[in-house]
Amino acid sequence: MEPGASEAAAAALGALAARAGGRERLVLVAERGAGEAPPRALLEGFARDLFAEPRPPDGAAAGVAEKGRRRARGGGRGWAWCPLAFVLLRGAASGGRAVRELVRDVRGQVAPWAALVAVLVVLRAGEEAELEAARLRVEALLRRACARRRRPALQQEALQAALYRPGSPHGAAPVRAAALRALRAALQLRADRIRFQERLLLTYG
């Protein structure tokens, strides 16, 4: 990656997030086992890497909302204000029923037009082909679990999966690229929804 490319991509993502309401509206959710505490260090490190920021002083906030896994209850959307949610998963082996339930839980908390990026956390070196196959598998699972019928191509674009390598100089670059694609699609879906609601008001108002 060219020098400064990470900073430019991070700035582009920050500007797009500002259009969507600000970084504080982004949500991070991490997969964890029963009885485990939320992996706060991983979430904070990811938030810094995503926006290409240096490590802050101890105790400083990461600038996005951090959440452990939360199951939707009562049919409400607890994060209806969230335009983009990241779901951090445990490496290339992630997949199957647990991941499907987790992404559905998160999808149930955010607005119908919101973007969702599944992040496969790569903690050990592995074959690129194997890692890419895992990413494609999770992305397909995400889209099957969460895509809606209206504007299917745009809906799928708002659902992405990417690899994240903590500690690598450009370890968050694939996530930034996926987040930009997903958030652009989500903002288009939001605009379409607003136009549709305005037409309804003109018709029935």
Side-chain angles (χ1 to χ4, degrees):
M1 182 173 288
E2 294 295 325
S6 292
E7 290 77 7
L13 180 58
L16 199 60
R19 280 182 51 198
R23 282 175 49 177
E24 65 275 8
R25 292 195 173 193
L26 308 186
V27 167
L28 308 184
V29 179
E31 181 185 23
R32 69 178 192 264
E36 292 182 1
R40 186 174 181 84
L42 173 63
L43 292 169
E44 291 181 345
F46 173 76
R48 288 191 299 271
D49 289 347
L50 184 65
F51 291 100
E53 294 176 340
R55 182 177 293 275
D58 290 344
V64 295
E66 299 170 0
K67 307 290 180 184
R69 174 177 179 169
R70 181 185 297 179
R71 184 175 298 275
R73 299 185 185 277
R77 293 187 180 275
W79 307 327
W81 39 263
C82 169
L84 170 61
F86 296 91
V87 182
L88 276 65
L89 306 172
R90 295 177 174 183
S94 287
R97 181 178 177 182
V99 171
R100 185 165 57 250
E101 289 180 354
L102 175 56
V103 297
R104 280 178 173 167
D105 285 351
V106 175
R107 172 54 93 186
Q109 295 282 355
V110 299
W113 53 266
L116 186 58
V117 177
V119 179
L120 280 70
V121 181
V122 181
L123 297 176
R124 294 189 298 272
E127 292 290 335
E128 286 301 316
E130 179 182 337
L131 292 171
E132 177 61 11
R135 186 197 70 79
L136 290 172
R137 186 168 60 248
V138 170
E139 188 169 82
L141 181 153
L142 177 66
R143 290 174 173 178
R144 286 196 305 271
C146 298
R148 291 172 170 81
R149 293 180 182 177
R150 186 169 180 270
R151 298 293 299 274
L154 206 55
Q155 286 280 354
Q156 291 205 1
E157 188 73 3
L159 301 167
Q160 300 278 334
L163 301 172
Y164 167 54
R165 294 174 172 85
S168 172
H170 305 295
V175 184
R176 284 190 214 104
L180 281 167
R181 291 192 298 272
L183 188 52
R184 286 188 185 113
L187 291 176
Q188 182 61 56
L189 288 167
R190 183 177 69 173
D192 289 352
R193 188 179 182 88
I194 291 171
R195 283 194 292 269
F196 177 73
Q197 291 171 340
E198 288 174 344
R199 286 198 298 271
L200 285 180
L201 286 173
L202 287 174
T203 303
Y204 300 106

